Amino acid sequence: MEKSVRNIIIAIVAVLTFSTTSFAANNSDDAIAERIKPVGQVYLANDVPVVEEPTGPRSGEQVYNTFCIACHATGAAGAPKTQNAEDWAPRIAKGMDTLKDHALNGFNAMPAKGSCMNCSDDEVIAAVEHLIKGL
C-alpha cells in the first residue's frame, strides 16, 4: 500500500509541476498584454474620421455592390435575386414608381434604402435600375 500512495504522490507532484509551468508560461507579461489588447479604437469628434464620406454621387453598381448584393445575390429574407427575371417580373409589373418607393422606404424585410443611410435617393434609384437592367 505504501508503494501505491508513493506513486499517487509522485503523480500529483508531476501534474502540479507541469500545470503550474504551463500556467506561468501563459501568464507572462507579453501573453497577458496580447490577451487584453484592444480590439478596436475609439475616435473622438476632433479625430480623423474612420470612414470617409463619398465625395460625389455613387453609381448604381457601386451602391449595389456595397449594400444590396448581400441579400439580392443570395435571395436572403425573400429578396428577389439579381438577374432572375422570374423573381423580378411581379415587382416590375407594379411599375417603377412602386419599385422606387419600396427601395427608398423599405418593404417587407427590406429596410429603407437597403440600410444605406448615407445614400441619396438618386443613388438608391440608380441601384434599383442597375438591379433590373438586362431582365
Side-chain angles (χ1 to χ4, degrees):
M1 178 131 172
E2 188 177 309
K3 190 173 188 178
S4 65
V5 172
R6 181 173 175 238
N7 287 342
I8 291 172
I9 292 172
I10 290 171
I12 291 171
V13 169
V15 166
L16 290 174
T17 301
F18 292 121
S19 65
T20 56
T21 301
S22 174
F23 180 76
N26 289 333
N27 284 316
S28 69
D29 289 344
D30 291 339
I32 293 170
E34 179 65 24
R35 285 195 307 271
I36 65 170
K37 73 179 180 183
V39 294
Q41 297 178 2
V42 175
Y43 290 91
L44 301 176
N46 294 333
D47 287 344
V48 177
V50 176
V51 178
E52 292 183 27
E53 292 295 320
T55 56
R58 293 168 280 198
S59 70
E61 182 179 11
Q62 289 172 316
V63 173
Y64 169 80
N65 287 332
T66 304
F67 298 98
C68 312
I69 195 167
C71 295
H72 287 287
T74 63
K81 291 182 185 176
T82 308
Q83 297 300 313
N84 186 323
E86 186 177 315
D87 284 357
W88 283 97
R91 291 162 173 89
I92 292 172
K94 293 180 182 179
M96 276 304 289
D97 289 339
T98 301
L99 276 177
K100 291 174 184 179
D101 178 65
H102 289 172
L104 293 171
N105 300 308
F107 184 73
N108 291 335
M110 181 177 162
K113 293 188 174 185
S115 74
C116 178
M117 300 322 293
N118 70 350
C119 285
S120 69
D121 289 358
D122 290 338
E123 289 173 327
V124 173
I125 291 168
V128 170
E129 291 169 350
H130 173 76
L131 266 165
I132 64 171
K133 115 178 134 179
L135 292 177

